Amino acid sequence: MRIIPLLSLGLPLFSTLAQAAAQPAESPIDRYGQQIFKNSRAIGMTMVVIDKNQTQMRFYGETRSGSRQTPDADSLLRIASISKAMTGEVLSALTLDKKVKLDDPLQKYAPAGVALPPAGQSITLLNLATHTSGVPREMPGEKPKDTPVFVWPNVQQRWSWLSGTKNKLAPGQRAQYSNLGFDLLADALSRASGKPYPVLFREKITVPLGMKDTTFSPSPAQCARLMEGYGASPCVDTTAAIGSGGIYSTPRDMQRWLQELLRPQNEARRQLRDQTLRMHLQRADLSSLRGMDVAGQADQLGLAWIRMEPSPNSPEIIQKTAGGGGFLGYAALAPHNDVAVWVGLTRSGGTRYQHLSNGVNKLVAELSGYKPVAAPMPKPTLAKPKAARGKAAIAQAAPAKPRAKKAARKAAGPKAAVAKNGAKKKTHLVKTSAHRAQ
């Protein structure tokens, strides 16, 4: 190798070093954004980051496989269960308006003639908002064939089930993630306000913040902007999942929503933010907790939001997970550090949620001044090595001899075969359950 002295090229050494030092360091936002997109194996991804007074967006991949179109600030996504955080915000608004109380029994807002099943204590609005109502995750019964996500059960079906269930509900004793519970909560808020829930939702959230593309009933023009991923559901009205997961939105609108959670525009909005992000239950106070440790240990439960306690490598994080209809999403806030991140992505068949939530948590930590475990950059795609030659190539390419395989199976015994088959079944369950996730 020939070494060329820098001075022989007429470039002073100090000038070259100065130019190298002047190169801008890669931002944590880009580093983690690329890592999340690569590791999650997403088809398309949008990211909104608020760091103090600065807001940035990043876009990756395609709006749908093969479209060659990168998502943008107006791409439409399903925010899925982040809808629950907005339902909690509507609940907070009505408590501040003195329309409801958190300890109001659900029976008070049940449809006329509907009686809830007897229980040791009444289901309250707070029970529903903290997943401690005893109501199951989904309504029991078989969903009609070929029914898209977020359109079943409707309001009449869920209240009919609740009034006739023989299940023993034990509100307040344990936490169990429940989509059904949040839909019942939205129904109750609608009756308390005397307004259809979409009207109430617009009045309390989207109109004050100018969120023009956030809706349950997308127009044809909005549907044309809907991103599409693995397991995609059609672009239809999703008011059936009114409180749990039916909301469509865009990065531009989600930016406005996150900004208001960090820096409310006036005192009334600050009170609403404080009420919305307030925690109500400690993990230690519950006999059990299921379905809420997806992004990290759920130390406290609020109105849909989950609080993770600070650690030496991370600040306090208040977060909400989401997934369904081909989308995954995650919102994470560090309110005391003025940092918030939301990521919405379209999943592929191999997407795993923890690649999304872990990356976002580390980004929030780093922007908050902590030093999380370093996030490696995605490795570049390398060219395939040339085929080996001679005997080495033959040994590498040739399959194992049948006799050797048979001998190995015999030596392993029947237990190995059972374990192998069990592992296959488990993997299949993980993949299919993501269609209606947290």
Side-chain angles (χ1 to χ4, degrees), residues 241-255:
I242 200 81
S244 66
I247 297 174
Y248 297 83
S249 192
T250 63
R252 192 184 304 279
D253 280 4
M254 292 299 286
Q255 171 190 320

Side-chain angles (χ1 to χ4, degrees), residues 6-83:
L6 291 172
L7 294 178
S8 70
L9 297 176
L11 297 174
L13 178 59
F14 70 84
S15 175
T16 303
L17 293 177
Q19 290 176 12
Q23 293 294 325
E26 183 183 39
S27 74
I29 296 172
D30 290 321
R31 178 158 37 92
Y32 284 103
Q34 292 177 44
Q35 175 192 315
I36 294 167
F37 176 65
K38 175 181 179 293
N39 290 348
S40 66
R41 299 168 66 179
I43 294 173
M45 187 178 104
T46 68
M47 181 167 70
V48 175
V49 179
I50 300 175
D51 182 13
K52 313 302 185 289
N53 292 320
Q54 297 185 357
T55 301
Q56 299 186 52
M57 295 185 189
R58 295 291 187 273
F59 306 98
Y60 305 87
E62 301 176 295
T63 55
R64 57 180 57 85
S65 184
S67 71
R68 298 184 180 180
Q69 181 180 352
T70 304
D72 59 32
D74 296 312
S75 292
L76 196 69
L77 303 92
R78 298 176 185 272
I79 67 169
S81 284
I82 293 176
S83 303

Side-chain angles (χ1 to χ4, degrees), residues 156-178:
Q156 292 83 8
Q157 290 167 331
R158 54 180 168 259
W159 283 94
S160 176
W161 171 83
L162 184 60
S163 64
T165 183
K166 304 297 183 183
N167 294 355
K168 292 184 178 180
L169 305 179
Q173 297 181 13
R174 61 182 184 273
Q176 175 179 301
Y177 196 90
S178 177

Side-chain angles (χ1 to χ4, degrees), residues 220-256:
Q222 289 172 319
C223 285
R225 292 185 269 129
L226 180 66
M227 294 170 62
E228 184 177 312
Y230 174 81
S233 286
C235 188
V236 295
D237 184 290
T238 51
T239 50
I242 200 81
S244 66
I247 297 174
Y248 297 83
S249 192
T250 63
R252 192 184 304 279
D253 280 4
M254 292 299 286
Q255 171 190 320
R256 294 186 173 107

Side-chain angles (χ1 to χ4, degrees), residues 75-124:
S75 292
L76 196 69
L77 303 92
R78 298 176 185 272
I79 67 169
S81 284
I82 293 176
S83 303
K84 293 181 177 67
M86 294 186 182
T87 306
E89 190 169 331
V90 174
L91 170 60
S92 296
L94 292 189
T95 61
L96 291 172
D97 292 343
K98 311 290 187 191
K99 296 287 187 182
V100 301
K101 296 179 181 178
L102 292 179
D103 59 0
D104 279 348
L106 177 61
Q107 179 67 67
K108 181 177 180 180
Y109 306 109
V114 172
L116 273 61
Q121 64 183 61
S122 298
I123 297 174
T124 66

